[in-house]
């Protein structure tokens, strides 16, 4: 069965349908990772986006029960060069086609994903629609141009109620803005006592939980669309050690008076080199974000740049000059991707221990 991918700039791709038959709209983005399609499709940071994978062979090791980053995927579509009908892996339980039918996600294959990626790199991310082969492109393009996508992604993907993940180590309040399970796994491996809380948690509610540290998770969308999170962070800076990842990094910057802006096409993949300024060490990192903290806005804040992206010079890490708080734009938990930066979780726990011993907080 044939299917169309239609972009708001008028570009039309005709390909093969897989997954759900439902028509869906979304921001079309691309990911350059060569493996990890299951983690990508289940990453809440892709909420309502149509994800293009630049690696041409997708689905060849199937879908298994263990590699999900959330229980319910939030993506609005998958675009691939070729998907595999007969995966070969001992853990495989479904084909990607079967799984997408179960979760009502449309996919399109057999198109020139290299051409699509070049269009996005040239023009920036574009609105797009995955629709049937009979859909009128002119009508779809008009609808795309007239449509304003909702901006409440964090509210959609965040947990609605707090829940524990018990351990015997330091108590960490993990604020869920669209948390990948990989973050929770890293703290569980370190025997931390975790309480996962909704995005709307207040500083007062956080302090009542008596945490040793706070983790600000990744998540989708524009950080300025989550003002309640910015106010919460302002209320805890200097009171509790904390660590932010991705959206959590951007919210930390905004709470400290810095600014963010949307990137042309963002960073998405598992091969992004990042340099730590204090040591010169370079890590290959996993990334997924559309927004970045602007360099100029850091100057009049209490923040210091700790990491930069070698590809484009954008900010990849920050720390507070006085309070025990730091953040990174990339994903040290990987999933998928390299684990070069995994030690940041240990650095965070060391920070907590130092503050306990010195009685700073």
């Amino acid at each position: 069965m044939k299917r169309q991918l239609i972009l708001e700039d008028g570009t039309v791709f005709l390909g093969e349908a897989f997954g759900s038959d439902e028509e869906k709209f979304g921001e079309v983005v691309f990911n350059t990772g060569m493996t990890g399609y299951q983690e990508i499709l289940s990453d809440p940071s892709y909420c309502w986006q149509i994800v293009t994978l630049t690696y041409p062979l997708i689905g060849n090791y199937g879908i298994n029960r263990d590699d999900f980053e959330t229980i319910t995927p939030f993506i609005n579509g998958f675009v691939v060069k070729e998907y595999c009908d007969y995966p070969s892996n001992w853990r495989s339980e479904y084909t990607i086609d079967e799984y997408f039918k179960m979760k009502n996600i449309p996919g399109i294959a057999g198109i020139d994903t290299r051409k699509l990626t070049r269009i996005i790199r040239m023009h920036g991310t574009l609105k797009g629609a995955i629709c049937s082969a009979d859909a009128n492109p002119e009508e779809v393009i008009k609808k795309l141009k007239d449509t304003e996508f909702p901006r409440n992604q964090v509210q959609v993907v965040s947990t609605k109620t707090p829940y524990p993940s018990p351990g015997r180590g330091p108590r960490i309040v993990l604020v869920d803005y669209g948390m990948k399970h990989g973050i929770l796994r890293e703290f569980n491996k370190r025997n931390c006592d975790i309480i996962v809380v909704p995005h709307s948690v207040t500083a007062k509610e956080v302090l009542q939980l008596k945490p040793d540290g706070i983790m600000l998770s990744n998540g989708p969308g524009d950080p300025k669309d989550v003002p309640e999170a910015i106010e919460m962070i302002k209320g805890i800076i200097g009171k509790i050690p904390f660590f932010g990842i991705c959206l959590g990094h951007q919210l930390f910057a905004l709470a400290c008076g810095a600014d963010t802006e949307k990137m042309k096409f963002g960073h998405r993949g598992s091969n992004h080199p990042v340099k730590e300024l204090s040591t010169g060490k370079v890590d290959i990192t996993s990334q997924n974000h559309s927004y970045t903290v602007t360099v100029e806005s850091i100057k009049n804040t209490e923040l210091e740049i700790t990491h930069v992206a070698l590809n484009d010079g954008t900010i990849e890490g920050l720390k507070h000059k006085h309070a025990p708080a730091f953040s990174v734009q990339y994903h040290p938990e990987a999933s998928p991707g390299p684990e070069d930066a995994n030690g940041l979780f240990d650095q965070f726990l060391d920070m907590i221990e130092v503050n306990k011993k010195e009685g700073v907080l």
Side-chain angles (χ1 to χ4, degrees), residues 143 164 215:
K143 190 174 178 182
M215 175 81 238

Side-chain angles (χ1 to χ4, degrees), residues 239-288:
K239 296 179 182 177
I240 306 170
F242 74 84
F243 174 23
I245 290 175
C246 201
L247 182 65
H249 158 83
Q250 297 160 10
L251 292 169
F252 171 45
L254 290 171
C256 292
D259 196 13
T260 57
E261 65 181 3
K262 190 168 186 180
M263 306 173 79
K264 187 175 181 181
F265 49 82
H267 292 172
R268 295 176 181 87
S270 50
N271 52 0
H272 291 259
V274 168
K275 182 178 180 180
E276 184 178 22
L277 296 180
S278 63
T279 63
K281 181 175 178 281
V282 175
D283 288 331
I284 303 302
T285 67
S286 178
Q287 302 203 13
N288 175 15

Side-chain angles (χ1 to χ4, degrees), residues 140-172:
V140 174
I141 291 165
K142 184 180 185 305
K143 190 174 178 182
L144 283 169
K145 289 181 176 178
D146 293 343
T147 299
E148 283 296 325
F149 294 151
R151 301 177 67 92
N152 62 333
Q153 296 102 313
V154 168
Q155 183 180 340
V156 170
V157 300
S158 175
T159 184
K160 302 299 183 283
T161 56
Y163 62 90
S165 180
R168 296 292 186 183
R171 170 168 289 182
I172 308 296

Side-chain angles (χ1 to χ4, degrees), residues 174-193:
L174 203 170
V175 188
D176 178 11
Y177 300 118
M179 174 193 70
K180 289 172 61 185
H181 287 173
I183 295 174
L184 191 57
R185 281 194 296 269
E186 290 302 325
F187 283 119
N188 284 337
K189 282 197 301 189
R190 291 161 174 83
N191 201 29
C192 294
D193 183 32

